[in-house]
């Protein structure tokens, strides 16, 4: 049998070799043997051979008659060529041409990618350049110890965003209580929130870390007027600008610093991953239109906190160890890096669930709404998955404060819904 080729990616150019080969293969497989004498391409040639063989072994007269030449038919549906291998700059320009983003947002995203490249380079050298260990000082905005690389990564993000000239307000997990208004000379329309180096407690052991970011449009009523506003008013306007629900996000992404450096982002039209090719210093598309499997048998929680969890969550844990939703009576597998970006990335590709619940000690868990949960939820939803607090959609939450924390569950749609069913009942 000549294999039937389905979902063929034909090239619009008539000279494209893939068009000739694949196009004719499809035609040949759909033809009767009697007419399968089309020359040139693989499918036709195979079919012709097959016809002759039949004739020698006593096939019907019809088979050996010279059949009229058959022109390859044009397929009715032509799928778009894959963009895998496209570099980030070209992809951003294409998004702009297709009116999915404007030029300003393309500049902001490009700036973020530069920050990620610089941080990637520092992370790789951390062990030999004296960049491991604590920075000293009072810690970050959430009172957590800051690593040296936390501080440097924050400076890098702030610097590239300021220089981009497209960002009005930036808010970082590592900054003090209030977001930073970019001075007038460099001011722009976008609000960028970010965690420059998430999972940095892993740095000293050279385990995966990542940067997470989200981009909002400025709420024009809150844009600081540099001539007129005093400092207090500027701060208040910055906070209002940053405290937008995740549903307002225009773009979000993360960059994972691991065995590869992978930048994953969405501008609200699917999820795309770009792997840094160190030989050319470019992010190159490696995963196109990523979709999270609807179910998955991996769970990713810090189970050390089990005793402090609510009863519904404990019941859920027991259930997935007996096969849960997806695993036909067999226990799920546990995987936990302790670095949201790494755990999320694996969950997105393999399916399953990631969770950082609230508990008796920390009612809202550990993860921050603005820099972690909202951007990751936007990505998860764009990939067909979910981002939930266990009792509602993360993107619906109107933040009360900049460094707010929320319980967070994300990953495969059916797995997150399964978990929610336990929390709802309790
Ligand atoms: P940090 O940046 O201090 O290492 O925190 C990382 C975050 C997040 O990336 C990860 O999923 C979570 O904290 C891990 O927290 P636990 O160590 O409590 O499991």
């Amino acid at each position: 049998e000549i294999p039937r080729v389905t979902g063929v990616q034909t090239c619009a150019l008539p000279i494209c070799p893939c068009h000739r080969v694949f196009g004719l293969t499809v035609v040949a497989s759909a033809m009767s043997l009697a007419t399968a004498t089309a020359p040139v391409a693989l499918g036709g040639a195979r079919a012709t051979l097959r016809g002759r063989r039949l004739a020698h072994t006593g096939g019907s007269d019809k088979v050996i008659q010279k059949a009229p030449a058959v022109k390859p038919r044009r397929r009715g549906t032509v799928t778009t060529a894959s963009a895998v291998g496209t570099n980030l700059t070209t992809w951003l320009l294409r998004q702009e041409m297709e009116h999915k983003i404007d030029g300003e947002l393309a500049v902001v995203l490009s700036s973020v990618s530069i920050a990620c490249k610089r941080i990637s380079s520092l992370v790789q050298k951390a062990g030999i350049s004296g960049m491991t260990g604590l920075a000293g000082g009072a810690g970050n905005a959430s009172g957590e110890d800051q690593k040296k690389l936390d501080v440097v990564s924050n400076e890098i993000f702030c610097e590239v965003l300021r220089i981009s000239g497209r960002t009005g307000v930036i808010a970082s997990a590592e900054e003090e209580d209030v977001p930073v208004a970019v001075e007038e000379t460099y001011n722009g329309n976008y609000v960028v929130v970010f965690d420059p180096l998430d999972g940095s407690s892993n740095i000293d052991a050279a385990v995966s870390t990542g940067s997470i970011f989200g981009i909002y449009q400025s709420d024009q009523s809150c844009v600081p007027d540099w001539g007129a506003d005093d400092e207090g008013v500027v701060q208040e306007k910055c906070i209002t600008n940053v405290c937008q629900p995740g549903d307002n996000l225009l773009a979000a992404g993360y960059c994972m610093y691991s065995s590869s450096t992978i930048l994953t982002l969405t501008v609200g039209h699917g999820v795309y991953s770009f792997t840094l090719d160190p030989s050319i210093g470019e992010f190159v598309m490696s995963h196109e239109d990523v979709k999270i499997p609807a179910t998955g048998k991996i769970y990713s929680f810090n189970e050390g906190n089990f005793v402090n969890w609510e009863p519904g969550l404990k019941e859920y844990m027991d259930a997935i160890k007996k096969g849960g939703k997806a695993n036909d009576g067999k226990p799920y597998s546990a995987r936990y890096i302790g670095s949201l970006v790494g755990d999320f990335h694996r969950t997105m590709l393999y399916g399953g669930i990631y969770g950082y619940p609230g508990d008796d000690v920390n009612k809202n868990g550990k993860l921050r709404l603005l820099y972690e949960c909202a951007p990751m939820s936007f990505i998860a939803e764009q990939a067909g998955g979910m981002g939930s607090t266990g009792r509602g959609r993360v993107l619906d939450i109107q933040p009360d404060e900049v460094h707010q924390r929320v319980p967070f569950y994300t990953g495969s749609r059916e797995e997150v819904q399964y978990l929610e069913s336990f929390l709802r009942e309790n």
Side-chain angles (χ1 to χ4, degrees):
E1 280 296 300
I2 299 164
R4 182 182 290 272
V5 180
T6 54
V8 184
Q9 296 191 341
T10 49
C11 174
L13 295 173
I15 53 164
C16 172
C18 66
H19 178 89
R20 294 181 67 172
V21 173
F22 286 141
L24 280 172
T25 303
V26 172
V27 170
S29 68
M31 286 190 297
S32 72
L33 290 175
T35 55
T37 55
V40 183
L42 187 62
R46 270 204 207 131
T48 308
L49 272 179
R50 188 178 254 267
R52 287 205 186 115
R53 219 176 283 136
L54 269 179
H56 289 305
T57 52
S60 76
D61 283 348
K62 250 186 169 183
V63 174
I64 52 172
Q65 276 170 12
K66 191 167 187 287
V70 177
K71 281 192 182 163
R73 272 182 308 177
R74 273 196 164 277
R75 303 274 299 166
T77 52
V78 178
T79 52
T80 318
S82 166
V84 168
T86 309
N87 70 47
L88 179 65
T89 311
T90 306
W91 185 80
L92 287 172
L93 288 172
R94 184 165 288 273
Q95 303 310 296
E96 190 192 344
M97 278 165 56
E98 292 172 4
H99 306 292
K100 292 176 181 164
I101 56 176
D102 64 14
E104 308 260 302
L105 185 51
V107 172
V108 177
L109 287 166
S110 176
S111 302
V112 168
S113 79
I114 290 167
C116 293
K117 284 184 204 177
R118 287 176 59 184
I119 295 169
S120 172
S121 164
L122 291 174
V123 167
Q124 278 173 19
K125 291 183 293 197
I128 50 171
S129 61
M131 289 296 266
T132 53
L134 295 177
N140 69 10
S142 304
E144 297 158 341
D145 283 337
Q146 280 180 307
K147 296 278 184 180
K148 288 179 195 163
L149 264 181
D150 278 328
V151 176
V152 177
S153 304
N154 188 49
E155 284 167 6
I156 290 173
F157 252 87
C158 291
E159 184 188 314
V160 296
L161 290 172
R162 201 175 62 91
I163 291 172
S164 80
R166 305 297 192 280
T167 313
V169 176
I170 55 182
S172 163
E174 302 302 330
E175 292 290 344
E176 290 306 318
D177 292 338
V178 288
V180 179
V182 176
E183 57 268 48
E184 201 171 11
T185 350
Y186 295 101
N187 208 313
N189 278 330
Y190 290 99
V191 175
V192 184
V193 296
F194 57 89
D195 187 346
L197 197 61
D198 190 78
S200 58
S201 53
N202 286 308
I203 279 282
D204 295 1
V207 176
S208 303
T209 50
S211 304
I212 307 171
F213 63 92
I215 303 174
Y216 295 92
Q217 186 95 56
S218 265
D219 176 341
Q220 290 304 312
S221 64
C222 314
V223 176
D225 179 346
W226 290 92
D229 294 340
D230 64 30
E231 202 179 315
V233 174
V234 169
Q235 277 189 6
E236 202 178 306
K237 288 185 170 178
C238 289
I239 292 170
T240 318
N241 236 327
V242 161
C243 286
Q244 299 189 42
D247 235 1
N248 288 2
L249 279 165
L250 297 178
Y254 61 81
C255 187
M256 181 175 70
Y257 311 112
S258 185
S259 55
S260 307
T261 296
I262 298 182
L263 177 62
T264 295
L265 54 88
T266 180
V267 294
H269 298 272
V271 176
Y272 295 82
S273 286
F274 298 81
T275 298
L276 183 62
D277 180 343
S279 63
I280 55 171
E282 281 275 14
F283 279 108
V284 177
M285 188 185 291
S286 48
H287 301 76
E288 184 177 22
D289 199 13
V290 183
K291 294 293 173 211
I292 304 178
T295 60
K297 54 185 182 182
I298 299 176
Y299 73 100
S300 189
F301 288 66
N302 183 347
E303 231 177 325
N305 295 323
F306 185 89
V307 287
N308 295 324
W309 287 349
E310 61 183 300
L313 188 57
K314 288 178 176 170
E315 280 170 32
Y316 166 77
M317 276 293 145
D318 289 342
I320 60 174
K321 287 172 185 169
K322 293 176 190 147
K325 178 96 192 153
N327 212 17
D328 202 20
K330 282 179 275 167
Y332 278 36
S333 294
R335 298 282 185 277
Y336 190 71
I337 302 168
S339 178
L340 174 61
V341 172
D343 284 317
F344 181 89
H345 189 71
R346 183 201 53 248
T347 305
M348 190 173 70
L349 296 185
Y350 298 172
I353 184 166
Y354 170 90
Y356 207 109
D359 61 30
D360 290 347
V361 181
N362 300 303
K363 202 167 93 13
N364 291 315
K366 178 179 180 186
L367 303 184
R368 277 75 50 94
L369 172 61
L370 276 172
Y371 318 109
E372 295 172 306
C373 307
M376 290 309 208
S377 294
F378 187 33
I379 297 167
E381 288 195 6
Q382 284 294 316
M386 284 177 72
S388 168
T389 61
R391 292 180 167 81
R393 183 174 175 248
V394 168
L395 296 184
D396 286 338
I397 302 173
Q398 168 67 52
D400 299 324
E401 48 177 304
V402 178
H403 301 295
Q404 182 173 343
R405 298 172 199 265
V406 289
F408 185 46
Y409 305 96
T410 187
S412 298
R413 195 181 61 256
E414 291 184 28
E415 300 299 336
V416 177
Q417 285 168 347
Y418 186 57
L419 172 129
E420 285 179 333
S421 71
F422 283 80
L423 299 189
R424 239 179 276 126
E425 281 166 20
N426 284 271

